Amino acid sequence: MKNLIRIKGDASFRKFFRKRNENYTSIVVFAKKEKFKNLLVYDAINKILNKNKILAPNLYKENYSKNHIEIQDFGNDTIFNKLNKNNKMYYFKKALNLLCKIQLIKNRKILNFKKKNYTIPKYDQKILIKESNLFCEWYIKHYFPKIKKDKFLKQFKKIIKSLVSNLKLKNNFFVHRDFHVSNLMIVNNRIGLIDSQDALIGNRAYDLASLIDDVRFKTSKSFKKKIFDLYVKKQ
């Protein structure tokens, strides 16, 4: 279509297009693979965020049978694009304020656009183990000979299961799971949150670590400590 312009995507199976409408622009999100998560769940989480007065893209239209939804356009201004050595504390404080706000979310169930209940899942041991195994699937298999790889995988999975079984941390907070400066958008002087389809109910340290130790924007150990200390003071 002439009024669709392909824009940069993310690590998901989604494709994004900016759509020119008569008086505004919108974003059309296509997803054939993992369509449920990348369309239905994505919108459901956005609805929960907006319900809690946290800025997330609103749904304009859905055509689930044809693998796409149309949502609010937040533009191109991310915190990452604005960061420099002089303003980083200003923007990280804003990000911290938003993080503290999303961690207060209590309502975790909502009707999706198919009028079905969606409840944010718990970040349980099964999910932790599954995600730990991604290290083996994405990295180890490319760098280990088969004999060494089989031995390593067996030992690795045994260690991960042991570590996970000993975790005693509370999993009772909204966790965005991709909370970093490239997913924080500046929208009319507010901070909007995108890429929320992987949200779970888990430990509060997850998103804090993503923000403080963001590989996209290098900071010193002393700066990381300042952000951590600020977060602790807010609790």
Side-chain angles (χ1 to χ4, degrees):
M1 292 174 66
K2 291 183 180 180
N3 61 343
L4 290 183
I5 302 171
R6 181 77 179 267
I7 59 176
K8 185 179 178 181
D10 51 26
S12 72
F13 290 114
R14 292 170 295 180
K15 295 177 182 177
F16 297 86
F17 297 82
R18 180 163 279 124
K19 180 181 177 183
R20 295 194 194 98
N21 299 285
E22 189 174 346
N23 298 312
Y24 65 98
T25 62
S26 57
I27 301 296
V28 178
V29 186
F30 283 87
K32 287 186 178 180
K33 291 184 177 181
E34 295 187 7
K35 183 168 74 166
F36 176 80
K37 181 178 84 168
N38 284 307
L39 298 181
L40 265 167
V41 174
Y42 180 54
D43 177 63
I45 298 296
N46 286 340
K47 281 183 169 67
I48 289 174
L49 290 169
N50 279 314
K51 190 174 180 180
N52 286 273
K53 299 185 180 311
I54 294 158
L55 193 61
N58 285 306
L59 178 72
Y60 290 156
K61 298 176 185 176
E62 66 88 5
N63 197 330
Y64 192 69
S65 62
K66 292 189 177 178
N67 310 315
H68 69 269
I69 58 176
E70 185 176 342
I71 63 173
Q72 184 177 3
D73 184 2
F74 276 1
N76 300 311
D77 285 339
T78 67
I79 284 184
F80 176 73
N81 293 335
K82 298 287 187 181
L83 283 172
N84 59 52
K85 64 181 181 180
N86 297 317
N87 68 16
K88 62 184 179 181
M89 180 58 75
Y90 171 79
Y91 281 115
F92 270 81
K93 281 182 178 179
K94 280 187 169 291
L96 269 187
N97 289 337
L98 180 62
L99 175 58
C100 291
K101 195 172 178 182
I102 69 171
Q103 289 183 340
L104 294 176
I105 292 174
K106 300 300 179 188
N107 52 316
R108 294 153 185 184
K109 182 187 290 186
I110 203 156
L111 283 178
N112 61 34
F113 58 71
K114 288 296 184 184
K115 307 302 180 188
K116 302 286 186 183
N117 273 320
Y118 176 75
T119 303
I120 305 176
K122 276 266 191 181
Y123 206 161
D124 59 17
Q125 291 188 9
K126 183 178 178 181
I127 294 174
L128 269 172
I129 291 171
K130 182 181 178 182
E131 292 187 340
S132 299
N133 287 336
L134 292 176
F135 173 68
C136 302
E137 293 173 24
W138 292 352
Y139 183 82
I140 294 302
K141 71 178 183 181
H142 296 291
Y143 294 97
F144 270 58
K146 188 175 187 321
I147 296 174
K148 287 185 178 180
K149 181 180 76 175
D150 291 342
K151 183 179 180 182
F152 174 87
L153 291 179
K154 189 175 180 180
Q155 292 175 334
F156 178 82
K157 290 179 179 180
K158 183 179 178 181
I159 291 169
I160 292 297
K161 283 184 179 179
S162 174
L163 290 172
V164 169
S165 66
N166 284 292
L167 284 176
K168 306 299 179 187
L169 299 172
K170 287 184 179 179
N171 278 0
N172 200 31
F173 294 88
F174 182 101
V175 180
H176 180 271
R177 294 178 72 221
D178 215 2
F179 195 85
H180 57 72
V181 290
S182 292
N183 280 337
L184 301 177
M185 311 292 295
I186 301 171
V187 187
N188 298 324
N189 295 318
R190 291 182 64 192
I191 303 298
L193 189 56
I194 61 170
D195 206 13
S196 307
Q197 74 285 344
D198 291 326
L200 293 172
I201 303 304
N203 187 264
R204 69 192 335 171
Y206 192 109
D207 285 341
L208 180 64
S210 294
L211 178 66
I212 290 176
D213 202 19
D214 192 339
V215 296
R216 297 158 190 81
F217 187 76
K218 299 293 184 182
T219 56
S220 66
K221 288 183 179 179
S222 62
F223 182 82
K224 294 180 200 299
K225 187 176 185 308
K226 284 180 184 177
I227 299 302
F228 177 79
D229 290 342
L230 278 172
Y231 174 82
V232 172
K233 285 179 182 179
K234 289 176 179 291
Q235 304 312 305

